[in-house]
Amino acid sequence: MRRLLGGLSLLMLGWAQKCVVASMSEVEFNYFRLEVSAQSIESGRIALLRSVLPQQCLSAAQLRDLLWTLDYESSRIEVLRFAADRVYNPNQLYEQLQPLFTTESGRREFIRWWEKWHKKPAAK
């Protein structure tokens, strides 16, 4: 009985998660990443990410690759605020994203975001 309940709880966790697989093929993702990179200004890149990511599911590595297209660590945090819940493997977020923040203030802001996001009941 205990195994059955454990299995059911794992199944329910999977159903409760918003994303379970990538919604873009690797080719589609690479095209999208190039499209984001082609935007001439940071605000254009953020606007494109904001318009597309809420309808997509992506991996932590894909989110990292998209965040690399942004010049400023503050912009990366801004995107994390609306995109992190669309990652289907959130257990890899910290490891994948932490290297993107190299300045002292960027690292502090990332840690603050992480602690807040990680404790959020609806996250993941």
Side-chain angles (χ1 to χ4, degrees):
M1 186 65 157
R2 182 177 270 174
R3 281 187 181 165
L4 177 62
L5 290 175
L8 284 174
S9 65
L10 284 175
L11 188 57
M12 293 300 284
L13 281 174
W15 281 340
Q17 186 174 347
K18 292 179 185 178
C19 290
V20 291
V21 295
S23 56
M24 284 189 246
S25 72
E26 201 60 34
V27 170
E28 291 169 325
F29 174 77
N30 287 330
Y31 176 78
F32 177 63
R33 186 173 40 114
L34 289 172
E35 189 177 348
V36 172
S37 297
Q39 300 298 307
S40 60
I41 57 173
E42 186 94 349
S43 61
R45 291 189 288 269
I46 293 170
L48 182 56
L49 291 168
R50 188 178 294 280
S51 71
V52 172
L53 291 184
Q55 294 83 35
Q56 301 298 322
C57 294
L58 57 157
S59 71
Q62 288 174 322
L63 180 56
R64 177 203 60 217
D65 290 349
L66 291 172
L67 292 178
W68 272 121
T69 67
L70 302 172
D71 298 325
Y72 304 106
E73 292 177 350
S74 59
S75 298
R76 293 172 183 166
I77 292 291
E78 180 181 341
V79 171
L80 280 175
R81 288 187 178 121
F82 66 81
D85 288 341
R86 304 304 300 162
V87 171
Y88 64 81
N89 57 344
N91 58 322
Q92 295 181 15
L93 272 174
Y94 188 88
E95 179 183 338
Q96 290 287 331
L97 302 181
Q98 185 268 333
L100 293 169
F101 300 91
T102 58
T103 66
E104 185 65 33
S105 61
R107 284 191 297 265
R108 275 195 315 265
E109 192 61 29
F110 176 71
I111 294 297
R112 252 185 258 135
W113 169 82
W114 173 255
E115 289 173 350
K116 185 177 180 182
W117 183 82
H118 194 59
K119 291 177 183 177
K120 199 168 78 168
K124 302 168 264 277

